[in-house]
Amino acid sequence: MRLSVLDLVPVRTDQSTRDALAATVLLARTADDLGYTRYWVAEHHNMPSVGATSPPVLIAYLAAQTSQLRLGSGGVMLPNHAPLAVAEQFALLEAAAPGRIDLGIGRAPGSDPVASYALRGGRPAAEQDRDIENFPDYLDDVVALMSARGVRVPLRSGDYILKATPAAITEPRLWLLGSSMYSAQLAAAKGLPYVFAHHFSGRGTEEALDLYRSRFVPSGLAAEPVTFLTVNAAVAETPDEATALILPNLQMMARLRTGQPLGPVQLVEDAQREQLTAEQQRIVAAGLQRAVVGSPQEAAEQVRALGERFGVDEVMVHPVASAHRGTDPATAPARVATLELLAKELL
């Protein structure tokens, strides 16, 4: 079983963005030392609990402080960016850390409508909708621009060659991310590696992966289906402690899905006093059921069961354990422990 890490750079109530980034560096170094396969960072905007806004910036920072991990985006939200800009950023990352860069691409905005409007230069909604419609073509553009041959643009004065970088030797590995049948179908049609966001959705995982495998068309990017999934995780010496550590994250998701204002991730002691509605309690309970939560032995068995159930030999854990009051703000010891305890059982 291969293990990887997804990191949104969570910001707790006791942390500044600087603190959260320092904690992420410690987590990435831990994953590097323990033999995790890859470490991906996300793109979310204007969220008080998420510090990961720019994957290429974070990847460059982490590449300088790790040596083994594949580093990637989980993912770049392509409708927010010009394909050439994304291709240039990741071609440069690949040149700096050859063989270590993954470009995971998603279609969702990763933000609310106001932030999306600002990200896309205040363009009208109709133009933003076209970015969504053109997503499959934009994927092709990114692939072609990162290649050594580039893209040939016919002009009256003659052909113009457009490249993301002057002389590419290797290219980042492209992955399509998603939590729907649309993304599974698109990844299959284009012959792309595919990752299902099980940590976020938890619904339709089996159907999406089955569709992807059954309709996969071999390509220059993948000769056969390549896939894994993500899962929320909190591992501690006892099941009760693991449950206490994951509750702040689950309660935050419950507030998000019931339209409540969001704040930073709460500390364990504050989450234990939280009063939830019946609907929010149901969301928390469902999140507990589909997460990896428990003692090291229990958590390892849950990861193995996920691999068997969905036919994958790699699982990307999203370590969402919060912290107790009095923890050094520049650290995330429960997140580090989650990686360490899983590695002892599975790596």
Side-chain angles (χ1 to χ4, degrees), residues 121-141:
R123 291 184 294 135
E127 290 186 21
Q128 295 187 34
D129 289 343
R130 281 199 292 275
D131 289 337
I132 301 294
E133 294 169 6
N134 292 333
F135 178 73
D137 294 333
Y138 291 166
L139 274 176
D140 294 339
D141 291 342

Side-chain angles (χ1 to χ4, degrees), residues 132-185:
I132 301 294
E133 294 169 6
N134 292 333
F135 178 73
D137 294 333
Y138 291 166
L139 274 176
D140 294 339
D141 291 342
V142 170
V143 172
L145 288 163
M146 289 192 304
S147 70
R149 67 185 180 280
V151 174
R152 189 177 300 276
V153 182
L155 300 176
R156 289 183 180 178
S157 56
D159 287 346
Y160 180 89
I161 304 301
L162 186 61
K163 294 183 177 183
T165 192
I169 297 175
T170 59
E171 301 168 21
R173 181 152 207 195
L174 188 67
W175 297 77
L176 185 61
L177 317 182
S179 57
S180 68
M181 301 301 278
Y182 170 88
S183 58
Q185 171 63 45

Side-chain angles (χ1 to χ4, degrees), residues 175-178 180 183-184 187 192-196 208-209 212 226-228:
W175 297 77
L176 185 61
L177 317 182
S180 68
S183 58
L192 289 171
Y194 176 58
V195 180
F196 190 86
L209 294 182
Y212 168 69
V226 181
T227 187
F228 61 86

Side-chain angles (χ1 to χ4, degrees), residues 41-330:
V41 292
E43 178 188 342
H44 290 286
H45 302 281
N46 201 39
M47 294 183 68
S49 60
V50 177
T53 56
S54 177
V57 171
L58 270 173
I59 291 166
Y61 187 55
L62 295 176
Q65 308 195 51
T66 56
S67 60
Q68 307 291 332
L69 288 167
R70 289 194 68 92
L71 297 162
S73 54
V76 166
M77 301 296 107
L78 189 53
N80 293 336
H81 312 283
L84 178 58
V86 173
E88 286 181 335
Q89 291 161 359
F90 279 81
L92 197 56
L93 287 169
E94 176 66 20
R100 294 182 60 201
I101 303 300
D102 292 329
L103 171 52
I105 288 181
R107 189 173 69 114
S111 60
D112 59 68
V114 176
S116 292
Y117 180 80
L119 279 166
R120 301 177 194 182
R123 291 184 294 135
E127 290 186 21
Q128 295 187 34
D129 289 343
R130 281 199 292 275
D131 289 337
I132 301 294
E133 294 169 6
N134 292 333
F135 178 73
D137 294 333
Y138 291 166
L139 274 176
D140 294 339
D141 291 342
V142 170
V143 172
L145 288 163
M146 289 192 304
S147 70
R149 67 185 180 280
V151 174
R152 189 177 300 276
V153 182
L155 300 176
R156 289 183 180 178
S157 56
D159 287 346
Y160 180 89
I161 304 301
L162 186 61
K163 294 183 177 183
T165 192
I169 297 175
T170 59
E171 301 168 21
R173 181 152 207 195
L174 188 67
W175 297 77
L176 185 61
L177 317 182
S179 57
S180 68
M181 301 301 278
Y182 170 88
S183 58
Q185 171 63 45
L186 184 60
K190 289 189 175 294
L192 289 171
Y194 176 58
V195 180
F196 190 86
H198 184 75
H199 78 283
F200 178 77
S201 173
R203 295 180 180 178
T205 307
E206 198 160 13
E207 294 83 354
L209 294 182
D210 286 347
L211 177 68
Y212 168 69
R213 292 179 176 121
S214 66
R215 300 192 182 181
F216 183 84
V217 178
S219 73
L221 299 172
E224 59 186 17
V226 181
T227 187
F228 61 86
L229 53 83
T230 58
V231 64
N232 291 329
V235 186
E237 293 296 345
T238 68
D240 286 347
E241 176 64 4
T243 300
L245 288 165
I246 202 173
L247 277 178
N249 174 270
L250 297 179
Q251 290 177 357
M252 181 182 65
M253 291 305 300
R255 287 191 293 273
L256 174 66
R257 291 179 178 172
T258 54
Q260 301 302 305
L262 296 181
V265 180
Q266 288 187 327
L267 297 172
V268 169
E269 291 80 3
D270 297 325
Q272 289 172 337
R273 294 194 296 268
E274 189 77 6
Q275 298 295 313
L276 302 180
T277 67
E279 175 64 10
Q280 288 170 339
Q281 290 173 352
R282 185 195 66 76
I283 294 170
V284 167
L288 267 175
Q289 277 195 321
R290 68 171 181 268
V292 168
V293 186
S295 68
Q297 297 78 17
E298 291 170 335
E301 184 52 41
Q302 291 165 24
V303 170
R304 292 190 190 100
L306 276 172
E308 274 189 35
R309 178 182 173 189
F310 297 113
V312 297
D313 58 10
E314 179 177 341
V315 172
M316 178 171 276
V317 295
H318 177 214
V320 295
S322 185
H324 289 277
R325 184 169 285 109
T327 299
D328 179 351

